[in-house]
mmCIF file of all heavy atoms in Angstrom:
data_model
loop_
_atom_site.group_PDB
_atom_site.id
_atom_site.type_symbol
_atom_site.label_atom_id
_atom_site.label_comp_id
_atom_site.label_asym_id
_atom_site.label_seq_id
_atom_site.Cartn_x
_atom_site.Cartn_y
_atom_site.Cartn_z
ATOM 1 N N ARG G 208 -24.528 -0.407 -16.429
ATOM 2 C CA ARG G 208 -25.238 0.329 -15.390
ATOM 3 C C ARG G 208 -26.651 0.672 -15.872
ATOM 4 O O ARG G 208 -27.035 1.675 -16.384
ATOM 5 C CB ARG G 208 -24.528 1.640 -15.068
ATOM 6 C CG ARG G 208 -25.142 2.483 -13.925
ATOM 7 C CD ARG G 208 -24.463 2.157 -12.547
ATOM 8 N NE ARG G 208 -25.055 2.869 -11.485
ATOM 9 C CZ ARG G 208 -24.621 3.997 -11.108
ATOM 10 N NH1 ARG G 208 -23.677 4.630 -11.734
ATOM 11 N NH2 ARG G 208 -25.190 4.596 -9.983
ATOM 12 N N LYS G 209 -27.529 -0.354 -15.744
ATOM 13 C CA LYS G 209 -28.840 -0.254 -16.230
ATOM 14 C C LYS G 209 -29.740 0.329 -15.196
ATOM 15 O O LYS G 209 -30.874 0.922 -15.501
ATOM 16 C CB LYS G 209 -29.457 -1.683 -16.695
ATOM 17 C CG LYS G 209 -28.652 -2.155 -17.965
ATOM 18 C CD LYS G 209 -29.295 -3.456 -18.399
ATOM 19 C CE LYS G 209 -28.785 -3.976 -19.706
ATOM 20 N NZ LYS G 209 -27.298 -4.154 -19.681
ATOM 21 N N GLU G 210 -29.442 0.154 -13.921
ATOM 22 C CA GLU G 210 -30.237 0.685 -12.895
ATOM 23 C C GLU G 210 -29.231 1.556 -11.956
ATOM 24 O O GLU G 210 -28.133 1.151 -11.923
ATOM 25 C CB GLU G 210 -30.945 -0.382 -11.991
ATOM 26 C CG GLU G 210 -31.769 -1.313 -12.781
ATOM 27 C CD GLU G 210 -32.031 -2.507 -11.870
ATOM 28 O OE1 GLU G 210 -31.123 -3.331 -11.753
ATOM 29 O OE2 GLU G 210 -33.289 -2.552 -11.341
ATOM 30 N N LYS G 211 -29.737 2.491 -11.242
ATOM 31 C CA LYS G 211 -28.855 3.325 -10.531
ATOM 32 C C LYS G 211 -28.256 2.490 -9.413
ATOM 33 O O LYS G 211 -27.109 2.803 -8.972
ATOM 34 C CB LYS G 211 -29.699 4.490 -9.972
ATOM 35 C CG LYS G 211 -28.856 5.633 -9.404
ATOM 36 C CD LYS G 211 -29.747 6.825 -9.049
ATOM 37 C CE LYS G 211 -29.007 8.083 -8.801
ATOM 38 N NZ LYS G 211 -29.756 9.291 -8.551
ATOM 39 N N ARG G 212 -28.892 1.620 -8.762
ATOM 40 C CA ARG G 212 -28.499 0.938 -7.604
ATOM 41 C C ARG G 212 -27.465 -0.166 -7.915
ATOM 42 O O ARG G 212 -26.665 -0.607 -7.040
ATOM 43 C CB ARG G 212 -29.569 0.430 -6.780
ATOM 44 C CG ARG G 212 -30.394 -0.692 -7.464
ATOM 45 C CD ARG G 212 -31.555 -1.085 -6.575
ATOM 46 N NE ARG G 212 -31.068 -1.801 -5.448
ATOM 47 C CZ ARG G 212 -31.424 -1.440 -4.218
ATOM 48 N NH1 ARG G 212 -32.281 -0.416 -3.872
ATOM 49 N NH2 ARG G 212 -30.997 -2.164 -3.146
ATOM 50 N N ASN G 213 -27.476 -0.679 -9.160
ATOM 51 C CA ASN G 213 -26.595 -1.909 -9.499
ATOM 52 C C ASN G 213 -25.489 -1.572 -10.433
ATOM 53 O O ASN G 213 -25.664 -0.895 -11.463
ATOM 54 C CB ASN G 213 -27.493 -3.026 -10.126
ATOM 55 C CG ASN G 213 -28.479 -3.519 -9.010
ATOM 56 O OD1 ASN G 213 -28.184 -3.610 -7.812
ATOM 57 N ND2 ASN G 213 -29.649 -3.776 -9.481
ATOM 58 N N PHE G 214 -24.367 -2.201 -10.266
ATOM 59 C CA PHE G 214 -23.149 -1.993 -11.163
ATOM 60 C C PHE G 214 -22.413 -3.296 -11.221
ATOM 61 O O PHE G 214 -21.329 -3.423 -10.570
ATOM 62 C CB PHE G 214 -22.299 -0.862 -10.599
ATOM 63 C CG PHE G 214 -21.292 -0.339 -11.507
ATOM 64 C CD1 PHE G 214 -21.482 -0.136 -12.902
ATOM 65 C CD2 PHE G 214 -20.038 -0.129 -11.022
ATOM 66 C CE1 PHE G 214 -20.504 0.344 -13.660
ATOM 67 C CE2 PHE G 214 -18.951 0.382 -11.833
ATOM 68 C CZ PHE G 214 -19.303 0.674 -13.169
ATOM 69 N N PRO G 215 -22.804 -4.271 -11.904
ATOM 70 C CA PRO G 215 -22.176 -5.556 -12.008
ATOM 71 C C PRO G 215 -20.860 -5.504 -12.837
ATOM 72 O O PRO G 215 -20.761 -4.764 -13.820
ATOM 73 C CB PRO G 215 -23.223 -6.509 -12.748
ATOM 74 C CG PRO G 215 -24.071 -5.536 -13.562
ATOM 75 C CD PRO G 215 -24.095 -4.296 -12.802
ATOM 76 N N LEU G 216 -19.967 -6.365 -12.396
ATOM 77 C CA LEU G 216 -18.678 -6.522 -13.088
ATOM 78 C C LEU G 216 -18.624 -7.806 -13.738
ATOM 79 O O LEU G 216 -18.894 -8.863 -13.115
ATOM 80 C CB LEU G 216 -17.513 -6.414 -11.999
ATOM 81 C CG LEU G 216 -16.091 -6.579 -12.626
ATOM 82 C CD1 LEU G 216 -15.697 -5.369 -13.324
ATOM 83 C CD2 LEU G 216 -15.111 -6.705 -11.405
ATOM 84 N N ILE G 217 -18.391 -7.773 -15.041
ATOM 85 C CA ILE G 217 -18.396 -9.064 -15.823
ATOM 86 C C ILE G 217 -17.139 -9.405 -16.304
ATOM 87 O O ILE G 217 -16.375 -8.561 -16.862
ATOM 88 C CB ILE G 217 -19.369 -8.816 -16.954
ATOM 89 C CG1 ILE G 217 -20.836 -8.458 -16.527
ATOM 90 C CG2 ILE G 217 -19.496 -10.114 -17.815
ATOM 91 C CD1 ILE G 217 -21.622 -7.581 -17.479
ATOM 92 N N LEU G 218 -16.732 -10.617 -16.140
ATOM 93 C CA LEU G 218 -15.482 -11.199 -16.693
ATOM 94 C C LEU G 218 -15.928 -12.190 -17.769
ATOM 95 O O LEU G 218 -16.357 -13.341 -17.375
ATOM 96 C CB LEU G 218 -14.647 -11.813 -15.643
ATOM 97 C CG LEU G 218 -13.828 -10.906 -14.631
ATOM 98 C CD1 LEU G 218 -14.734 -10.240 -13.747
ATOM 99 C CD2 LEU G 218 -12.806 -11.596 -14.058
ATOM 100 N N GLU G 219 -15.792 -11.885 -19.049
ATOM 101 C CA GLU G 219 -16.374 -12.764 -20.006
ATOM 102 C C GLU G 219 -15.440 -14.050 -20.171
ATOM 103 O O GLU G 219 -16.021 -15.124 -20.454
ATOM 104 C CB GLU G 219 -16.316 -11.991 -21.406
ATOM 105 C CG GLU G 219 -17.202 -10.776 -21.505
ATOM 106 C CD GLU G 219 -18.589 -11.156 -22.072
ATOM 107 O OE1 GLU G 219 -18.837 -12.356 -22.344
ATOM 108 O OE2 GLU G 219 -19.384 -10.205 -22.212
ATOM 109 N N SER G 220 -14.154 -13.872 -20.052
ATOM 110 C CA SER G 220 -13.291 -15.087 -20.186
ATOM 111 C C SER G 220 -12.204 -14.917 -19.145
ATOM 112 O O SER G 220 -11.011 -14.412 -19.538
ATOM 113 C CB SER G 220 -12.822 -15.176 -21.583
ATOM 114 O OG SER G 220 -11.947 -16.357 -21.717
ATOM 115 N N PRO G 221 -12.443 -15.202 -17.924
ATOM 116 C CA PRO G 221 -11.481 -14.964 -16.884
ATOM 117 C C PRO G 221 -10.137 -15.717 -17.104
ATOM 118 O O PRO G 221 -10.086 -16.808 -17.618
ATOM 119 C CB PRO G 221 -12.113 -15.464 -15.584
ATOM 120 C CG PRO G 221 -13.573 -15.552 -15.914
ATOM 121 C CD PRO G 221 -13.667 -15.844 -17.419
ATOM 122 N N SER G 222 -9.086 -15.091 -16.666
ATOM 123 C CA SER G 222 -7.728 -15.602 -16.722
ATOM 124 C C SER G 222 -7.046 -15.529 -15.453
ATOM 125 O O SER G 222 -7.508 -14.758 -14.572
ATOM 126 C CB SER G 222 -6.847 -14.883 -17.792
ATOM 127 O OG SER G 222 -6.711 -13.556 -17.481
ATOM 128 N N PRO G 223 -6.029 -16.374 -15.171
ATOM 129 C CA PRO G 223 -5.382 -16.386 -13.835
ATOM 130 C C PRO G 223 -4.914 -15.027 -13.411
ATOM 131 O O PRO G 223 -4.888 -14.728 -12.153
ATOM 132 C CB PRO G 223 -4.226 -17.358 -14.049
ATOM 133 C CG PRO G 223 -4.771 -18.278 -15.051
ATOM 134 C CD PRO G 223 -5.546 -17.473 -15.984
ATOM 135 N N ASN G 224 -4.552 -14.090 -14.367
ATOM 136 C CA ASN G 224 -4.059 -12.814 -13.925
ATOM 137 C C ASN G 224 -5.157 -11.870 -13.381
ATOM 138 O O ASN G 224 -4.945 -10.790 -12.940
ATOM 139 C CB ASN G 224 -3.207 -12.140 -14.996
ATOM 140 C CG ASN G 224 -4.045 -11.724 -16.196
ATOM 141 O OD1 ASN G 224 -5.303 -11.870 -16.256
ATOM 142 N ND2 ASN G 224 -3.384 -11.377 -17.288
ATOM 143 N N GLN G 225 -6.379 -12.352 -13.437
ATOM 144 C CA GLN G 225 -7.502 -11.620 -12.855
ATOM 145 C C GLN G 225 -7.740 -12.129 -11.415
ATOM 146 O O GLN G 225 -8.747 -11.723 -10.824
ATOM 147 C CB GLN G 225 -8.706 -11.760 -13.726
ATOM 148 C CG GLN G 225 -8.536 -10.983 -15.073
ATOM 149 C CD GLN G 225 -9.704 -11.062 -16.019
ATOM 150 O OE1 GLN G 225 -10.061 -12.146 -16.403
ATOM 151 N NE2 GLN G 225 -10.301 -9.940 -16.265
ATOM 152 N N THR G 226 -7.046 -13.029 -10.928
ATOM 153 C CA THR G 226 -7.117 -13.426 -9.524
ATOM 154 C C THR G 226 -6.723 -12.236 -8.693
ATOM 155 O O THR G 226 -5.693 -11.718 -8.848
ATOM 156 C CB THR G 226 -6.092 -14.617 -9.211
ATOM 157 O OG1 THR G 226 -6.541 -15.814 -9.909
ATOM 158 C CG2 THR G 226 -6.005 -14.881 -7.732
ATOM 159 N N SER G 227 -7.658 -11.774 -7.843
ATOM 160 C CA SER G 227 -7.473 -10.575 -7.110
ATOM 161 C C SER G 227 -8.599 -10.338 -6.084
ATOM 162 O O SER G 227 -9.493 -11.227 -6.007
ATOM 163 C CB SER G 227 -7.434 -9.383 -8.069
ATOM 164 O OG SER G 227 -7.183 -8.170 -7.472
ATOM 165 N N LEU G 228 -8.499 -9.281 -5.330
ATOM 166 C CA LEU G 228 -9.554 -8.864 -4.455
ATOM 167 C C LEU G 228 -10.214 -7.689 -5.000
ATOM 168 O O LEU G 228 -9.585 -6.712 -5.374
ATOM 169 C CB LEU G 228 -8.958 -8.507 -3.028
ATOM 170 C CG LEU G 228 -9.825 -7.984 -1.989
ATOM 171 C CD1 LEU G 228 -10.972 -9.093 -1.645
ATOM 172 C CD2 LEU G 228 -9.090 -7.654 -0.686
ATOM 173 N N TYR G 229 -11.495 -7.829 -5.246
ATOM 174 C CA TYR G 229 -12.343 -6.735 -5.900
ATOM 175 C C TYR G 229 -13.159 -6.025 -4.920
ATOM 176 O O TYR G 229 -13.829 -6.574 -4.142
ATOM 177 C CB TYR G 229 -13.100 -7.364 -7.007
ATOM 178 C CG TYR G 229 -12.350 -8.006 -8.191
ATOM 179 C CD1 TYR G 229 -11.825 -9.217 -8.107
ATOM 180 C CD2 TYR G 229 -12.105 -7.189 -9.280
ATOM 181 C CE1 TYR G 229 -11.116 -9.769 -9.196
ATOM 182 C CE2 TYR G 229 -11.223 -7.663 -10.298
ATOM 183 C CZ TYR G 229 -10.853 -8.894 -10.274
ATOM 184 O OH TYR G 229 -9.959 -9.424 -11.261
ATOM 185 N N PHE G 230 -13.229 -4.681 -5.152
ATOM 186 C CA PHE G 230 -14.103 -3.829 -4.349
ATOM 187 C C PHE G 230 -14.947 -2.981 -5.240
ATOM 188 O O PHE G 230 -14.475 -2.366 -6.193
ATOM 189 C CB PHE G 230 -13.227 -2.909 -3.459
ATOM 190 C CG PHE G 230 -12.568 -3.542 -2.333
ATOM 191 C CD1 PHE G 230 -11.163 -3.797 -2.430
ATOM 192 C CD2 PHE G 230 -13.222 -3.927 -1.191
ATOM 193 C CE1 PHE G 230 -10.522 -4.439 -1.380
ATOM 194 C CE2 PHE G 230 -12.598 -4.557 -0.117
ATOM 195 C CZ PHE G 230 -11.225 -4.831 -0.242
ATOM 196 N N CYS G 231 -16.244 -2.796 -4.859
ATOM 197 C CA CYS G 231 -17.036 -1.890 -5.418
ATOM 198 C C CYS G 231 -17.315 -0.768 -4.481
ATOM 199 O O CYS G 231 -17.197 -0.927 -3.312
ATOM 200 C CB CYS G 231 -18.478 -2.662 -5.698
ATOM 201 S SG CYS G 231 -19.714 -1.603 -6.406
ATOM 202 N N ALA G 232 -17.477 0.441 -5.085
ATOM 203 C CA ALA G 232 -17.677 1.642 -4.230
ATOM 204 C C ALA G 232 -18.699 2.470 -4.864
ATOM 205 O O ALA G 232 -18.966 2.423 -6.123
ATOM 206 C CB ALA G 232 -16.350 2.364 -4.134
ATOM 207 N N SER G 233 -19.411 3.322 -4.050
ATOM 208 C CA SER G 233 -20.395 4.259 -4.538
ATOM 209 C C SER G 233 -20.231 5.575 -3.791
ATOM 210 O O SER G 233 -19.691 5.587 -2.677
ATOM 211 C CB SER G 233 -21.750 3.681 -4.472
ATOM 212 O OG SER G 233 -22.173 3.796 -3.149
ATOM 213 N N SER G 234 -20.636 6.675 -4.498
ATOM 214 C CA SER G 234 -20.630 8.017 -3.840
ATOM 215 C C SER G 234 -21.781 8.806 -4.449
ATOM 216 O O SER G 234 -22.254 8.590 -5.546
ATOM 217 C CB SER G 234 -19.278 8.734 -3.945
ATOM 218 O OG SER G 234 -18.887 8.897 -5.273
ATOM 219 N N LEU G 235 -22.198 9.807 -3.738
ATOM 220 C CA LEU G 235 -23.272 10.613 -4.186
ATOM 221 C C LEU G 235 -22.874 11.309 -5.536
ATOM 222 O O LEU G 235 -23.682 11.288 -6.408
ATOM 223 C CB LEU G 235 -23.523 11.698 -3.149
ATOM 224 C CG LEU G 235 -24.845 12.556 -3.341
ATOM 225 C CD1 LEU G 235 -26.124 11.719 -3.208
ATOM 226 C CD2 LEU G 235 -24.919 13.605 -2.204
ATOM 227 N N ALA G 236 -21.764 11.765 -5.616
ATOM 228 C CA ALA G 236 -21.123 12.218 -6.894
ATOM 229 C C ALA G 236 -19.684 11.972 -6.803
ATOM 230 O O ALA G 236 -19.176 11.595 -5.871
ATOM 231 C CB ALA G 236 -21.451 13.767 -7.044
ATOM 232 N N VAL G 237 -18.930 12.189 -7.977
ATOM 233 C CA VAL G 237 -17.611 11.796 -7.948
ATOM 234 C C VAL G 237 -16.664 12.500 -6.933
ATOM 235 O O VAL G 237 -15.690 12.056 -6.496
ATOM 236 C CB VAL G 237 -17.025 12.023 -9.423
ATOM 237 C CG1 VAL G 237 -16.982 13.471 -9.764
ATOM 238 C CG2 VAL G 237 -15.615 11.389 -9.584
ATOM 239 N N TYR G 238 -17.176 13.709 -6.540
ATOM 240 C CA TYR G 238 -16.389 14.492 -5.622
ATOM 241 C C TYR G 238 -16.518 14.124 -4.147
ATOM 242 O O TYR G 238 -15.835 14.604 -3.255
ATOM 243 C CB TYR G 238 -16.688 15.966 -5.746
ATOM 244 C CG TYR G 238 -16.630 16.434 -7.166
ATOM 245 C CD1 TYR G 238 -17.789 16.652 -7.935
ATOM 246 C CD2 TYR G 238 -15.407 16.689 -7.818
ATOM 247 C CE1 TYR G 238 -17.726 17.059 -9.224
ATOM 248 C CE2 TYR G 238 -15.340 17.175 -9.121
ATOM 249 C CZ TYR G 238 -16.445 17.324 -9.809
ATOM 250 O OH TYR G 238 -16.432 17.694 -11.135
ATOM 251 N N ASN G 239 -17.516 13.312 -3.939
ATOM 252 C CA ASN G 239 -17.956 13.038 -2.511
ATOM 253 C C ASN G 239 -17.227 11.737 -1.992
ATOM 254 O O ASN G 239 -16.644 11.051 -2.692
ATOM 255 C CB ASN G 239 -19.522 12.757 -2.474
ATOM 256 C CG ASN G 239 -20.262 14.057 -2.799
ATOM 257 O OD1 ASN G 239 -20.801 14.100 -3.875
ATOM 258 N ND2 ASN G 239 -20.169 15.013 -1.890
ATOM 259 N N GLU G 240 -17.389 11.587 -0.654
ATOM 260 C CA GLU G 240 -16.827 10.399 0.018
ATOM 261 C C GLU G 240 -17.449 9.107 -0.705
ATOM 262 O O GLU G 240 -18.531 8.995 -0.938
ATOM 263 C CB GLU G 240 -17.399 10.485 1.412
ATOM 264 C CG GLU G 240 -17.276 9.256 2.186
ATOM 265 C CD GLU G 240 -18.021 9.335 3.623
ATOM 266 O OE1 GLU G 240 -18.635 10.446 3.845
ATOM 267 O OE2 GLU G 240 -18.033 8.291 4.263
ATOM 268 N N GLN G 241 -16.477 8.184 -0.858
ATOM 269 C CA GLN G 241 -16.855 6.855 -1.403
ATOM 270 C C GLN G 241 -17.180 5.860 -0.300
ATOM 271 O O GLN G 241 -16.372 5.819 0.702
ATOM 272 C CB GLN G 241 -15.826 6.318 -2.287
ATOM 273 C CG GLN G 241 -15.709 6.993 -3.687
ATOM 274 C CD GLN G 241 -14.762 6.173 -4.579
ATOM 275 O OE1 GLN G 241 -15.210 5.402 -5.304
ATOM 276 N NE2 GLN G 241 -13.468 6.479 -4.532
ATOM 277 N N PHE G 242 -18.153 5.001 -0.531
ATOM 278 C CA PHE G 242 -18.438 3.957 0.447
ATOM 279 C C PHE G 242 -18.127 2.696 -0.372
ATOM 280 O O PHE G 242 -18.572 2.465 -1.438
ATOM 281 C CB PHE G 242 -19.923 3.987 0.701
ATOM 282 C CG PHE G 242 -20.395 5.139 1.552
ATOM 283 C CD1 PHE G 242 -20.691 6.319 0.994
ATOM 284 C CD2 PHE G 242 -20.509 5.033 2.866
ATOM 285 C CE1 PHE G 242 -20.961 7.467 1.719
ATOM 286 C CE2 PHE G 242 -20.817 6.160 3.701
ATOM 287 C CZ PHE G 242 -21.177 7.362 3.009
ATOM 288 N N PHE G 243 -17.281 1.855 0.346
ATOM 289 C CA PHE G 243 -16.851 0.612 -0.286
ATOM 290 C C PHE G 243 -17.606 -0.550 0.294
ATOM 291 O O PHE G 243 -18.099 -0.635 1.448
ATOM 292 C CB PHE G 243 -15.385 0.417 0.108
ATOM 293 C CG PHE G 243 -14.430 1.261 -0.741
ATOM 294 C CD1 PHE G 243 -14.259 2.633 -0.495
ATOM 295 C CD2 PHE G 243 -13.825 0.751 -1.841
ATOM 296 C CE1 PHE G 243 -13.424 3.482 -1.237
ATOM 297 C CE2 PHE G 243 -12.905 1.464 -2.638
ATOM 298 C CZ PHE G 243 -12.835 2.870 -2.296
ATOM 299 N N GLY G 244 -17.746 -1.633 -0.644
ATOM 300 C CA GLY G 244 -18.298 -2.861 -0.338
ATOM 301 C C GLY G 244 -17.272 -3.691 0.447
ATOM 302 O O GLY G 244 -16.070 -3.237 0.683
ATOM 303 N N PRO G 245 -17.668 -4.892 0.899
ATOM 304 C CA PRO G 245 -16.765 -5.655 1.693
ATOM 305 C C PRO G 245 -15.689 -6.443 0.923
ATOM 306 O O PRO G 245 -14.782 -7.006 1.527
ATOM 307 C CB PRO G 245 -17.740 -6.776 2.344
ATOM 308 C CG PRO G 245 -18.896 -6.823 1.345
ATOM 309 C CD PRO G 245 -18.987 -5.485 0.754
ATOM 310 N N GLY G 246 -15.771 -6.462 -0.350
ATOM 311 C CA GLY G 246 -14.780 -7.070 -1.150
ATOM 312 C C GLY G 246 -15.274 -8.518 -1.707
ATOM 313 O O GLY G 246 -16.071 -9.145 -0.989
ATOM 314 N N THR G 247 -14.738 -8.882 -2.852
ATOM 315 C CA THR G 247 -14.981 -10.258 -3.394
ATOM 316 C C THR G 247 -13.534 -10.707 -3.815
ATOM 317 O O THR G 247 -12.830 -10.223 -4.518
ATOM 318 C CB THR G 247 -15.851 -10.181 -4.679
ATOM 319 O OG1 THR G 247 -17.146 -9.687 -4.401
ATOM 320 C CG2 THR G 247 -15.886 -11.462 -5.429
ATOM 321 N N ARG G 248 -13.249 -11.915 -3.079
ATOM 322 C CA ARG G 248 -11.928 -12.480 -3.454
ATOM 323 C C ARG G 248 -12.158 -13.471 -4.511
ATOM 324 O O ARG G 248 -12.876 -14.539 -4.339
ATOM 325 C CB ARG G 248 -11.419 -13.213 -2.172
ATOM 326 C CG ARG G 248 -9.964 -13.780 -2.370
ATOM 327 C CD ARG G 248 -9.215 -14.054 -1.135
ATOM 328 N NE ARG G 248 -8.925 -12.906 -0.291
ATOM 329 C CZ ARG G 248 -7.938 -12.014 -0.554
ATOM 330 N NH1 ARG G 248 -7.118 -12.255 -1.627
ATOM 331 N NH2 ARG G 248 -7.721 -11.052 0.235
ATOM 332 N N LEU G 249 -11.564 -13.288 -5.639
ATOM 333 C CA LEU G 249 -11.697 -14.160 -6.852
ATOM 334 C C LEU G 249 -10.367 -14.890 -7.133
ATOM 335 O O LEU G 249 -9.277 -14.273 -7.156
ATOM 336 C CB LEU G 249 -12.009 -13.317 -8.080
ATOM 337 C CG LEU G 249 -12.073 -14.060 -9.371
ATOM 338 C CD1 LEU G 249 -13.207 -15.064 -9.422
ATOM 339 C CD2 LEU G 249 -12.247 -13.023 -10.568
ATOM 340 N N THR G 250 -10.478 -16.187 -7.375
ATOM 341 C CA THR G 250 -9.352 -16.967 -7.779
ATOM 342 C C THR G 250 -9.715 -17.596 -9.081
ATOM 343 O O THR G 250 -10.716 -18.306 -9.190
ATOM 344 C CB THR G 250 -9.061 -18.057 -6.659
ATOM 345 O OG1 THR G 250 -8.762 -17.462 -5.473
ATOM 346 C CG2 THR G 250 -7.754 -18.895 -7.082
#
Side-chain angles (χ1 to χ4, degrees):
Chain G
R208 188 92 182 272
K209 294 185 171 59
E210 306 167 282
K211 199 170 189 178
R212 64 183 293 128
N213 296 323
F214 190 44
L216 180 69
I217 303 154
L218 284 72
E219 295 267 3
S220 183
S222 61
N224 65 11
Q225 293 178 297
T226 292
S227 187
L228 179 59
Y229 291 88
F230 288 101
C231 179
S233 74
S234 60
L235 190 61
V237 65
Y238 308 101
N239 296 107
E240 165 189 0
Q241 285 192 92
F242 294 82
F243 282 79
T247 295
R248 186 165 293 282
L249 173 66
T250 302

